[in-house]
Amino acid sequence: MDLLNDFSPGLFIMQAVILLILIILMRKFAWKPILDAVSSREEGIKDALASAEAAKKEMQNLQADNERILQEARAERDGILKDARELKTSMIAEAKAEAQAEADKVVSQAQTQIQNEKKAAMADLKKQVASLSVEIAEKVVRNELTNKNKQLELVESMLGDVVLN
């Protein structure tokens, strides 16, 4: 082993002293900035993780809010549709009722008009019958009274019909 033969205690001590000086210098000037950089990097990573976690929670809250708002919108839409259906049904029922009332009114007016026209026709018919009866009676009486013998027969028959008490 060649290394043991080449070993020099002075060189070893010198190298050990240089190593200690280097460690002291490194500790004083390099370790602190390196540790500070590592520490700040660690803090930055922790902050980033915390921010990411907060953003994740915020996203969950936003998703929950969006879902809640969506459910409210669906419920409102369903309510509006229900109201619209009810309004449509009531409007149809109201229109049917109005149409039925109008039809009943038209039928009633038609029946009244028919009755009035029937009464007018009956009155006109009675008037014509009375007029024809008067004309016939007038012609019969004129025909009967034109002859003297027929006048005497008529008077005698009338007198015969009359019963004296």
Side-chain angles (χ1 to χ4, degrees), residues 44-61:
I45 291 172
K46 283 181 184 178
D47 289 344
L49 288 173
S51 295
E53 188 65 32
K56 183 179 176 183
K57 286 181 181 179
E58 185 66 27
M59 282 296 287
Q60 288 173 345
N61 289 340

Side-chain angles (χ1 to χ4, degrees), residues 153-164:
E153 281 179 25
L154 181 64
V155 170
E156 284 179 17
S157 78
M158 285 186 178
L159 286 175
D161 287 341
V162 175
V163 177
L164 295 175

Side-chain angles (χ1 to χ4, degrees), residues 1-13:
M1 301 217 140
D2 237 359
L3 283 174
L4 286 179
N5 289 339
D6 290 337
F7 181 73
S8 165
L11 183 62
F12 178 74
I13 291 177

Side-chain angles (χ1 to χ4, degrees), residues 74-143:
R74 285 181 183 146
E76 186 175 342
R77 179 202 63 201
D78 291 343
I80 289 171
L81 288 174
K82 180 183 174 192
D83 291 344
R85 284 187 201 106
E86 289 173 357
L87 181 62
K88 178 186 85 170
T89 304
S90 69
M91 287 176 71
I92 289 172
E94 186 178 314
K96 284 181 181 178
E98 286 179 13
Q100 185 63 39
E102 187 66 28
D104 291 345
K105 181 180 174 184
V106 168
V107 167
S108 175
Q109 286 176 347
Q111 287 175 345
T112 303
Q113 186 176 4
I114 289 170
Q115 287 294 332
N116 289 339
E117 288 179 10
K118 184 179 175 184
K119 286 179 184 177
M122 289 297 286
D124 188 42
L125 185 61
K126 284 181 183 179
K127 183 179 172 184
Q128 287 179 3
V129 166
S131 175
L132 284 174
S133 296
V134 168
E135 281 181 32
I136 291 171
E138 182 183 335
K139 286 181 181 179
V140 167
V141 169
R142 198 177 289 148
N143 201 12

Side-chain angles (χ1 to χ4, degrees), residues 20-86:
L20 283 175
I21 292 173
L22 184 63
I23 289 175
I24 292 172
L25 285 176
M26 287 287 280
R27 185 167 181 189
K28 185 168 189 164
F29 295 109
W31 283 104
K32 190 171 184 177
I34 289 173
L35 288 177
D36 286 343
V38 168
S39 175
S40 68
R41 177 73 177 148
E42 184 180 347
E43 286 297 318
I45 291 172
K46 283 181 184 178
D47 289 344
L49 288 173
S51 295
E53 188 65 32
K56 183 179 176 183
K57 286 181 181 179
E58 185 66 27
M59 282 296 287
Q60 288 173 345
N61 289 340
L62 287 175
Q63 284 177 342
D65 286 346
N66 286 344
E67 187 64 32
R68 180 184 51 79
I69 289 170
L70 188 61
Q71 287 175 351
E72 288 175 1
R74 285 181 183 146
E76 186 175 342
R77 179 202 63 201
D78 291 343
I80 289 171
L81 288 174
K82 180 183 174 192
D83 291 344
R85 284 187 201 106
E86 289 173 357

